[in-house]
Amino acid sequence: MTTAPPPADTAARLTGLVRALRGHGLRIGPAETVDAAAVLDVLGFADRAQMRAGLAAALLRSDTQRALFDATFDLFFPLGVGTPEAVRADPPALPDDPRPPRPGRPDPLRDDLRERLAAALAADDRAAQARLAGEVVEAFGRYGAGATPSSDGWSAHQALGRLAPETLLARILAALREQATAPDLSDLVLADEIRRRIQDFRALVATEARRRVAELRGAERIAERAVAPTADRIDFLAAGRDQLAELRRTVHPLARKLATRLAARRRRAARGRIDLRRTLRRSLSTGGVPLRPAYRLRRPARPELVLLCDVSGSVAGFADFTMLLVRAMSEQFSKVRVFAFVNRTAEVTALLTRGGTDPARLAARIVTEAEVTGHHGNSDYGSALGEFAERHLDAVGPRTSVLILGDARNNHRDPNLDALRRIAGRARRVHWLNPEQPALWRTGDSAAAAYAGVVEMHSCRNARRLGELIARLLPV
């Protein structure tokens, strides 16, 4: 594997890196790009880790952006190009038939790689793990075109699925016990450490596969499609468990930012409109030069907020995150009440308040402890809205903003638009936040188009969009 990049290619690689990061929503302007170029001019390419740290310092504004930056950096400034030299010098003995052997048949190459990987993980040998990552991708990651050297691409998922490194936990744990390398650590702590090492190895394999595919398809294309976005751009409906956990860690920083914006809007709104009579009277003593405007001062009260959240399985992550965000921002409102539903509606304000010790499964706790389901477990927006209008309409008043959270998938039942009209008739504002894209609002069992004819419906697919909507829509 030859070293990269050549000096003549530096400008193109740097601008490509900046474009890719901008495509993922990072705000990088000309000034930051010039600073990054100066970093490369000073640091050069001799120390890749130092170069990576210098570019990150010049281009990033938050530590939460570092994972995205690292994955993109590895595409535009890879450690090398082509097959790694260590693998090329001693390539794995690839079988004649690249397909996995049938169950029960021996797989010498896989067994050898697993044995060496277990030893490298037990010793925490990072250099050996990096070499093995290249070998694993070379041996098992090629796909398409008969898995020939002119293959369609490389797949980390395929390679890791064949190798199954997570099944080495017991073997590595036994080896560490025999070596007595950490006699003062319990098996539980050791197991967690081994899982971390296995996860790091999986990341090495993913990085190696992305690097090779980038050589075939182009770094910018792979940066757009194969690099995980920052937490605030993860689609609520597509987020996995780990991504939702990362999202929850962004709740409080996002809440602080939104609270600052709302407070600034409240200060500006307090000035009110120009009082023409007072302005003219004030200017009589100076003949109108200079003109000093006087304002009708306002004392806007903090608004009341009601959340009405679908906590069924399809949108539970979206509702979970939004409820946590509103709880963190509760000081910005004079009153906050939260109602949850699947096909029945129940108030969960108290549960949300006292459940702060374990926010990770908020929606699941609500489903378990609150009466949000009736004789079936499917979403029924019509019944839920009707029950809210009948039993809880006193929660809505002329100072209340209502946020309805859900995908409006009504399972072909009556949408009960009259109940939504009753809610909208009492509230100051009603906004419906839908985690689906507008192109899906008229498909299948969605009643979103019908509800959008009654209240404002906004597509809200990720945390960044949610923050923008809350800062823009909520009154001051």
Side-chain angles (χ1 to χ4, degrees), residues 86-87 113 116-117 119-121 123-136 201 204:
V87 178
L113 288 172
R116 291 161 54 200
L117 177 60
L121 292 173
D124 199 18
D125 187 341
R126 303 300 176 87
Q129 292 172 36
R131 182 185 186 282
L132 282 166
E135 291 189 48
V136 168
F201 176 76
L204 288 174

Side-chain angles (χ1 to χ4, degrees), residues 319-370:
D320 184 355
F321 179 82
T322 307
M323 285 187 285
L324 291 172
L325 178 62
V326 169
R327 184 183 66 181
M329 295 177 58
S330 58
E331 293 183 356
Q332 298 301 312
F333 308 98
S334 61
K335 183 186 298 184
V336 176
R337 296 181 69 177
V338 182
F339 298 84
F341 68 89
V342 175
N343 48 64
R344 295 192 59 189
T345 302
E347 183 168 6
V348 295
T349 308
L351 179 61
L352 184 66
T353 303
R354 68 173 184 265
T357 57
D358 181 23
R361 303 262 321 153
L362 176 59
R365 287 203 315 275
I366 290 173
V367 171
T368 302
E369 302 180 29

Side-chain angles (χ1 to χ4, degrees), residues 36-57:
V39 166
L40 287 179
D41 185 51
V42 172
L43 298 180
F45 298 92
D47 189 331
R48 186 167 177 267
Q50 190 178 51
M51 178 179 67
R52 180 197 299 264
L55 287 178

Side-chain angles (χ1 to χ4, degrees), residues 118-119 122-123 168-181 194:
L168 296 173
L169 176 63
R171 184 187 303 184
I172 300 170
L173 189 59
L176 289 176
R177 286 200 206 98
E178 291 177 2
Q179 298 169 7
T181 55
I194 295 167

Side-chain angles (χ1 to χ4, degrees), residues 73-96:
F73 173 88
D74 287 331
L75 294 176
F76 289 91
F77 294 92
L79 187 60
V81 295
T83 304
E85 291 182 5
V87 178
R88 190 167 59 236
D90 184 18
L94 300 179
D96 296 331

